[in-house]
Amino acid sequence: MSAARNSLPAAVTLMIVVASGVFGASLVTRVGYLAVPAALGLPIAPPALRLVPLGETTWPVTLTDSAAALVLVAVVALARGGFWRTWGAFVAGAVLADLLRVAVLTQTMSAGLGAYAGYLAGALVSGLLWGVALGWLPGLAALPRGNDRTRAARTSSEAAREGA
């Protein structure tokens, strides 16, 4: 039971990156202002786990997106703790994933040093925004539930009695 509870935030994060791959393009076409970062060349959502390129996306960019999605899931899976630690891990993973994605995108575009620095700053902001916006979902999955909460309360009260 403990292994299942500990992997639940990672499973929620995996569902987020799969949903980003499946529904990301349709979301951008329906919500127009989400296309502005994409027009600038920045990541528009959490990294998407896709098996094939979308539109005119190249294979290296698609593989980088998938690798970034797996990095995000791995960072959340390695976070052991409650709501805030898991949310923070999601934010850190989203920033790390976006920095990886932008590094490959700028190499693909042969961007200069100034553009590269601008893209890195944009990826940092984008990762922070998406991490804060969606990080609460894996954070909720990390909260103790039912028997775990009573077991933790019982253990802390027993430790307090032994210490007194």
Side-chain angles (χ1 to χ4, degrees), residues 43 45 90-99 121-133:
F90 189 90
V91 170
V95 168
L96 184 64
D98 276 355
L99 289 175
L124 178 70
V125 170
S126 175
L128 284 171
L129 289 176
W130 282 106
V132 168

Side-chain angles (χ1 to χ4, degrees), residues 6 30 33-34 36 43 61 63-64 72 74 86 88 90 92 104 116 121 130 133 144 161:
N6 289 339
R30 285 174 177 64
Y33 60 85
L34 287 178
V36 172
V61 173
L63 294 175
T64 302
L72 176 60
T86 306
F90 189 90
V104 170
Y116 186 71
W130 282 106
R161 271 187 262 145

Side-chain angles (χ1 to χ4, degrees), residues 62-136:
T62 301
L63 294 175
T64 302
D65 270 359
S66 296
L70 294 176
V71 164
L72 176 60
V73 172
V75 168
V76 172
L78 293 174
R80 295 287 182 237
F83 178 79
W84 295 110
R85 184 172 294 179
T86 306
W87 193 342
F90 189 90
V91 170
V95 168
L96 184 64
D98 276 355
L99 289 175
L100 174 67
R101 293 165 68 191
V102 163
V104 170
L105 282 172
T106 54
Q107 292 300 316
T108 303
M109 296 183 315
S110 300
L113 186 59
Y116 186 71
Y119 281 124
L120 286 178
L124 178 70
V125 170
S126 175
L128 284 171
L129 289 176
W130 282 106
V132 168
L134 296 175
W136 62 274

Side-chain angles (χ1 to χ4, degrees), residues 49-55 57 59 62 66:
L49 194 58
R50 290 191 187 102
L51 298 177
V52 294
L54 180 66
T57 307
W59 275 103
T62 301
S66 296

